[in-house]
Amino acid sequence: MGREIQVLWAGRHRRPRWDALCGEYRDRIARSVTIQDRPIRARRGGDGPDRARHEGEALLSALPDPVWLFALDARGKSYSSPDFARLLGRLSEEWPHPIAFALGSDLGLDPAVRKAARQVLSFGPMTLPHELARLVLYEQIFRALEIQRGSGYHH
C-alpha cells in the first residue's frame, strides 16, 4: 500500500470506546503501513451549514500536499472488499504520496471536501454515524491489506 495512510475526521467529541475499537484495527494496519488517525476540529464554531463549512475548511487545510484524497459520503461509489483491496493495491504501486480518507461529523461532509477529493467512497446508501463509519473504514483498510497478503481473514 502507499507510503502512508491518514484518516482525518471532523467532530466535536472523542469517545474513548470508539477510539479503542478503531485503535485495535490501527494497530493491525500499522504492521503493514504507516497510519495516522487525525481528529480535526474547526477553529470556528456555529451550527448547521456554518459548522459543516468550517469543518470542511479545517479538514482540507490539514491534508498533506500532494495527497490522494478519498471523501467518505453516501453519494459516492461503493466497492466490494476485493475491489477496494485492488484499488488500494494499485494506488500503492502508482501513487508514492500519502493516501487520506476524510470523514465528516454528524453534519456530514462539506461539499468542498467532496469536490477536492479524487474519489468519493460510500459504504452504501444508508446514513452511518460518523464514528461507526470511521470504524468500518479501519476494518476495510485492514481487510484490504489482508486480501493483498492472501491471508484467510477475508473469509
Side-chain angles (χ1 to χ4, degrees), residues 8-50:
L8 291 84
W9 52 279
R12 295 191 282 186
H13 308 289
R14 287 195 74 145
R15 292 180 174 89
R17 65 183 179 269
W18 289 105
D19 283 342
L21 291 168
C22 290
E24 290 179 28
Y25 283 106
R26 244 187 347 269
D27 291 346
R28 293 176 184 183
I29 294 165
R31 295 179 197 139
S32 301
V33 65
T34 300
I35 186 155
Q36 292 184 30
D37 184 74
R38 300 189 53 204
I40 306 297
R41 279 193 72 144
R43 295 194 188 277
R44 294 180 292 239
D47 278 324
D50 282 342

Coordinates of all heavy atoms in Angstrom, one line a residue, residues 8-50:
L8 N -8.6 11.4 8.5 CA -9.0 12.7 9.1 C -10.5 12.7 9.3 O -11.2 12.4 8.3 CB -8.6 13.8 8.1 CG -7.1 14.0 7.9 CD1 -6.5 13.1 6.9 CD2 -6.8 15.5 7.6
W9 N -10.9 13.1 10.5 CA -12.3 13.1 10.7 C -12.7 14.3 11.5 O -11.9 14.7 12.4 CB -12.7 11.8 11.4 CG -12.0 11.4 12.6 CD1 -10.7 10.8 12.7 CD2 -12.3 11.7 14.0 NE1 -10.3 10.6 14.0 CE2 -11.3 11.1 14.8 CE3 -13.4 12.2 14.6 CZ2 -11.3 11.2 16.2 CZ3 -13.5 12.3 16.0 CH2 -12.4 11.8 16.8
A10 N -13.8 14.9 11.2 CA -14.3 16.1 11.8 C -15.2 15.7 12.9 O -16.0 14.7 12.8 CB -15.0 17.0 10.8
G11 N -15.1 16.3 14.0 CA -16.1 16.0 15.1 C -15.7 16.9 16.3 O -14.6 17.3 16.5
R12 N -16.7 17.0 17.1 CA -16.6 17.8 18.3 C -16.2 17.0 19.6 O -15.8 17.5 20.6 CB -17.8 18.6 18.6 CG -18.1 19.6 17.5 CD -19.2 20.6 17.9 NE -20.5 19.9 17.8 CZ -21.6 20.6 18.0 NH1 -21.7 21.8 18.3 NH2 -22.8 19.9 17.8
H13 N -16.4 15.7 19.5 CA -16.2 14.8 20.6 C -15.3 13.7 20.3 O -15.3 13.2 19.2 CB -17.5 14.2 21.1 CG -18.6 15.3 21.3 ND1 -18.5 16.2 22.3 CD2 -19.7 15.6 20.6 CE1 -19.6 17.0 22.3 NE2 -20.3 16.6 21.2
R14 N -14.5 13.2 21.3 CA -13.7 12.0 21.2 C -14.3 11.1 22.2 O -14.3 11.4 23.4 CB -12.3 12.2 21.5 CG -11.5 12.9 20.3 CD -10.1 12.8 20.5 NE -9.7 11.5 20.2 CZ -8.5 11.2 19.6 NH1 -7.7 12.1 19.3 NH2 -8.2 9.9 19.4
R15 N -14.8 9.9 21.8 CA -15.4 9.0 22.7 C -14.4 7.8 22.8 O -14.1 7.1 21.8 CB -16.8 8.5 22.2 CG -17.8 9.7 22.2 CD -19.1 9.3 21.7 NE -20.1 10.3 21.9 CZ -20.3 11.3 21.0 NH1 -19.6 11.3 19.8 NH2 -21.2 12.2 21.2
P16 N -14.0 7.6 24.0 CA -13.0 6.5 24.3 C -13.3 5.2 23.7 O -12.5 4.5 23.2 CB -12.8 6.5 25.8 CG -13.3 7.8 26.2 CD -14.3 8.3 25.3
R17 N -14.6 4.8 23.8 CA -14.9 3.4 23.3 C -14.7 3.3 21.8 O -14.3 2.3 21.3 CB -16.3 3.0 23.7 CG -17.4 3.9 23.1 CD -18.8 3.5 23.7 NE -19.8 4.3 23.1 CZ -20.3 5.4 23.7 NH1 -19.8 5.8 24.8 NH2 -21.2 6.1 23.1
W18 N -15.0 4.4 21.0 CA -14.8 4.3 19.6 C -13.3 4.4 19.3 O -12.8 3.7 18.4 CB -15.6 5.5 18.9 CG -17.0 5.3 18.9 CD1 -18.0 5.9 19.7 CD2 -17.8 4.3 18.1 NE1 -19.2 5.4 19.4 CE2 -19.1 4.5 18.4 CE3 -17.4 3.4 17.1 CZ2 -20.1 3.7 17.8 CZ3 -18.4 2.6 16.5 CH2 -19.7 2.8 16.9
D19 N -12.6 5.2 20.0 CA -11.1 5.3 19.8 C -10.5 3.9 20.1 O -9.6 3.6 19.3 CB -10.5 6.4 20.7 CG -10.8 7.8 20.2 OD1 -11.1 7.9 19.0 OD2 -10.6 8.7 21.0
A20 N -10.9 3.2 21.1 CA -10.4 1.9 21.4 C -10.6 0.9 20.3 O -9.7 0.2 19.9 CB -10.9 1.4 22.7
L21 N -11.9 0.9 19.8 CA -12.2 0.0 18.7 C -11.4 0.3 17.4 O -10.8 -0.6 16.8 CB -13.7 0.0 18.4 CG -14.6 -0.5 19.5 CD1 -16.1 -0.2 19.2 CD2 -14.5 -2.0 19.6
C22 N -11.3 1.6 17.1 CA -10.5 2.0 15.9 C -9.0 1.7 16.1 O -8.3 1.2 15.2 CB -10.7 3.4 15.6 SG -12.4 3.8 15.0
G23 N -8.6 1.9 17.4 CA -7.2 1.6 17.7 C -6.8 0.2 17.5 O -5.6 -0.1 17.1
E24 N -7.7 -0.8 17.7 CA -7.3 -2.2 17.5 C -7.0 -2.4 16.0 O -6.0 -3.1 15.7 CB -8.5 -3.1 18.0 CG -8.7 -3.1 19.5 CD -9.9 -4.0 19.9 OE1 -10.2 -4.9 19.1 OE2 -10.4 -3.7 20.9
Y25 N -7.8 -1.8 15.2 CA -7.5 -2.0 13.7 C -6.3 -1.2 13.3 O -5.5 -1.7 12.5 CB -8.8 -1.6 12.9 CG -9.8 -2.7 12.9 CD1 -11.0 -2.6 13.6 CD2 -9.6 -3.9 12.2 CE1 -11.9 -3.6 13.7 CE2 -10.6 -4.9 12.2 CZ -11.7 -4.7 13.0 OH -12.6 -5.7 13.0
R26 N -6.2 0.0 13.9 CA -5.0 0.8 13.5 C -3.7 0.1 13.9 O -2.7 0.1 13.1 CB -5.0 2.1 14.3 CG -5.2 3.3 13.4 CD -5.1 4.7 14.0 NE -5.1 4.7 15.5 CZ -6.2 4.9 16.2 NH1 -7.4 5.0 15.6 NH2 -6.2 4.9 17.5
D27 N -3.7 -0.6 15.0 CA -2.5 -1.4 15.4 C -2.2 -2.5 14.4 O -1.1 -2.8 14.1 CB -2.7 -1.9 16.8 CG -2.7 -0.9 17.9 OD1 -2.3 0.3 17.6 OD2 -3.1 -1.2 19.0
R28 N -3.3 -3.1 14.0 CA -3.1 -4.2 13.0 C -2.6 -3.7 11.6 O -1.7 -4.2 11.0 CB -4.4 -5.0 12.7 CG -4.9 -5.7 13.9 CD -6.3 -6.3 13.6 NE -6.8 -7.0 14.7 CZ -8.0 -7.7 14.7 NH1 -8.7 -7.8 13.6 NH2 -8.4 -8.3 15.8
I29 N -3.2 -2.6 11.2 CA -2.8 -1.9 10.0 C -1.3 -1.5 10.0 O -0.5 -1.6 9.1 CB -3.7 -0.7 9.6 CG1 -5.1 -1.3 9.4 CG2 -3.2 0.1 8.5 CD1 -6.2 -0.2 9.4
A30 N -0.9 -0.9 11.2 CA 0.4 -0.4 11.3 C 1.5 -1.4 11.2 O 2.7 -1.0 11.0 CB 0.6 0.3 12.7
R31 N 1.2 -2.7 11.2 CA 2.2 -3.7 10.9 C 2.6 -3.7 9.5 O 3.7 -4.2 9.1 CB 1.6 -5.1 11.3 CG 1.4 -5.2 12.8 CD 0.8 -6.6 13.1 NE 0.2 -6.6 14.4 CZ -0.9 -7.2 14.8 NH1 -1.6 -7.9 13.9 NH2 -1.4 -7.1 16.0
S32 N 1.7 -3.2 8.6 CA 2.0 -3.2 7.2 C 2.3 -1.8 6.6 O 3.0 -1.7 5.6 CB 0.8 -3.8 6.4 OG 0.5 -5.1 6.9
V33 N 1.7 -0.8 7.1 CA 1.8 0.6 6.6 C 1.6 1.6 7.7 O 1.0 1.4 8.7 CB 0.7 0.8 5.4 CG1 -0.7 0.7 6.0 CG2 0.9 2.0 4.7
T34 N 2.3 2.7 7.5 CA 2.1 3.8 8.4 C 0.7 4.4 8.4 O 0.2 4.6 7.3 CB 3.1 5.0 8.1 OG1 4.4 4.4 8.2 CG2 3.0 6.1 9.1
I35 N 0.1 4.5 9.5 CA -1.3 5.0 9.5 C -1.4 6.0 10.6 O -0.9 5.9 11.7 CB -2.3 3.9 9.6 CG1 -3.7 4.5 9.5 CG2 -2.2 3.1 10.9 CD1 -4.8 3.5 9.0
Q36 N -2.1 7.1 10.3 CA -2.4 8.2 11.3 C -3.9 8.4 11.5 O -4.6 8.4 10.5 CB -1.8 9.5 10.9 CG -0.3 9.5 10.9 CD 0.2 10.9 10.5 OE1 -0.4 11.9 10.8 NE2 1.4 10.9 9.9
D37 N -4.3 8.6 12.7 CA -5.7 9.0 13.0 C -5.6 10.4 13.4 O -5.0 10.8 14.3 CB -6.2 8.1 14.1 CG -7.7 8.4 14.4 OD1 -8.5 8.0 13.6 OD2 -8.0 9.1 15.5
R38 N -6.4 11.3 12.6 CA -6.2 12.7 12.8 C -7.6 13.4 13.1 O -8.3 13.7 12.1 CB -5.5 13.4 11.7 CG -4.1 12.8 11.5 CD -3.3 13.5 10.4 NE -3.2 14.9 10.7 CZ -3.0 15.8 9.8 NH1 -2.8 15.5 8.5 NH2 -3.0 17.1 10.1
P39 N -8.0 13.5 14.3 CA -9.2 14.2 14.6 C -9.0 15.7 14.3 O -8.0 16.3 14.7 CB -9.5 14.0 16.1 CG -8.2 13.6 16.6 CD -7.4 13.0 15.5
I40 N -10.0 16.3 13.6 CA -9.8 17.7 13.2 C -11.0 18.5 13.7 O -12.2 18.1 13.6 CB -9.8 17.8 11.6 CG1 -8.8 16.9 11.0 CG2 -9.7 19.3 11.2 CD1 -7.3 17.2 11.3
R41 N -10.7 19.5 14.4 CA -11.7 20.4 15.0 C -11.7 21.8 14.3 O -10.6 22.3 14.1 CB -11.5 20.6 16.5 CG -12.1 19.5 17.3 CD -12.2 19.9 18.7 NE -13.3 20.8 18.9 CZ -14.0 20.9 20.0 NH1 -13.8 20.0 20.9 NH2 -15.0 21.7 20.1
A42 N -12.8 22.2 13.9 CA -12.9 23.6 13.3 C -12.6 24.6 14.4 O -13.0 24.5 15.5 CB -14.3 23.8 12.7
R43 N -11.8 25.6 14.0 CA -11.5 26.6 15.0 C -12.7 27.5 15.3 O -12.8 28.1 16.3 CB -10.3 27.5 14.5 CG -9.0 26.7 14.4 CD -7.9 27.6 14.2 NE -6.6 26.9 14.0 CZ -5.9 26.3 14.9 NH1 -6.2 26.4 16.1 NH2 -4.8 25.7 14.5
R44 N -13.5 27.7 14.3 CA -14.7 28.5 14.5 C -15.9 27.6 14.7 O -16.0 26.5 14.1 CB -15.0 29.4 13.3 CG -13.9 30.4 13.1 CD -14.2 31.2 11.9 NE -14.0 30.4 10.7 CZ -13.2 30.7 9.7 NH1 -12.4 31.7 9.8 NH2 -13.1 29.9 8.6
G45 N -16.8 28.0 15.5 CA -18.0 27.1 15.9 C -19.2 27.4 14.9 O -19.0 27.5 13.7
G46 N -20.3 27.5 15.6 CA -21.5 27.6 14.8 C -22.2 26.3 14.7 O -21.7 25.3 15.2
D47 N -23.4 26.3 14.2 CA -24.2 25.1 13.9 C -24.6 25.0 12.5 O -24.5 26.0 11.8 CB -25.4 25.1 14.9 CG -25.0 24.6 16.3 OD1 -24.1 23.7 16.4 OD2 -25.6 25.1 17.3
G48 N -25.1 23.9 12.2 CA -25.6 23.7 10.8 C -24.6 23.9 9.7 O -23.4 23.5 9.9
P49 N -25.0 24.5 8.6 CA -24.1 24.7 7.5 C -22.8 25.4 7.8 O -21.8 25.1 7.2 CB -25.0 25.5 6.5 CG -26.4 25.2 6.9 CD -26.4 25.0 8.4
D50 N -22.9 26.4 8.7 CA -21.7 27.1 9.1 C -20.7 26.2 9.7 O -19.5 26.2 9.3 CB -22.0 28.3 10.0 CG -22.6 29.5 9.3 OD1 -22.4 29.6 8.1 OD2 -23.1 30.3 10.0

